[in-house]
Amino acid sequence: RTFSIRQLSKEFDVTARALRFYEDKGLISPERKGQTRLYSPRDRARLQLILRGKRLGFSLIEIHEILDLYTPKDHGAAQMRATLQKYRSQIETLKRQREDIDAAIKDMAEGCVWLEQQIHNVEAETSN
């Protein structure tokens, strides 16, 4: 079974341009029949992994590295080990980012309180 660019675009809610971009980067490799791209089940599975990797915050280089580790001979064990390591590292990165975001929210909330007080003071002075 093969898939057209339109079918995959619709299924994964991505543009045809995005699919061509992933092809240019060597992440997927559809067959060509004239000008028509025919995507295999392997391309579809790789696209699914690409989009998941992007959603989880991985770069295309990291995604490419993970995809290239797959071999049927080891049933994907090397790929899974590398993915596990990258997931654990990404979890730590996201935890640090969450701490930074929480601190920024706290600072901004305190800034809002201060600004509201300043506005109230200025308005009180000008109404007298």
Side-chain angles (χ1 to χ4, degrees):
R1 164 145 201 228
T2 59
F3 306 90
S4 70
I5 198 165
R6 179 174 288 151
Q7 287 172 315
L8 290 184
S9 293
K10 186 175 180 181
E11 179 180 354
F12 291 102
D13 194 27
V14 296
T15 63
R17 183 177 179 168
L19 292 174
R20 290 189 296 269
F21 176 77
Y22 297 143
E23 181 183 354
D24 289 343
K25 295 296 179 185
L27 294 165
I28 54 178
S29 51
E31 264 183 65
R32 293 289 187 111
K33 240 187 190 171
Q35 294 292 333
T36 305
R37 289 172 169 85
L38 298 174
Y39 295 88
S40 67
R42 178 181 184 269
D43 290 318
R44 185 187 171 282
R46 287 173 70 95
L47 177 60
Q48 192 170 25
L49 291 172
I50 292 162
L51 297 174
R52 181 180 300 142
K54 281 184 58 188
R55 192 173 55 252
L56 296 175
F58 294 111
S59 70
L60 288 181
I61 292 170
E62 291 171 311
I63 293 167
H64 203 303
E65 290 169 356
I66 291 169
L67 290 173
D68 284 352
L69 287 173
Y70 180 79
T71 60
K73 187 165 58 170
D74 74 351
H75 302 286
Q79 184 186 47
M80 287 186 273
R81 276 192 297 279
T83 302
L84 177 61
Q85 182 181 7
K86 287 192 181 294
Y87 273 27
R88 287 187 172 144
S89 176
Q90 186 68 358
I91 287 169
E92 293 308 312
T93 298
L94 290 171
K95 284 179 180 179
R96 285 190 302 276
Q97 289 175 347
R98 182 173 53 196
E99 289 169 6
D100 292 343
I101 290 168
D102 288 343
I105 290 170
K106 181 179 178 278
D107 290 346
M108 292 178 100
E110 290 170 358
C112 287
V113 169
W114 183 84
L115 287 165
E116 288 168 346
Q117 290 171 345
Q118 298 307 306
I119 292 167
H120 177 73
N121 291 342
V122 169
E123 288 174 345
E125 285 178 19
T126 58
S127 68
N128 290 336

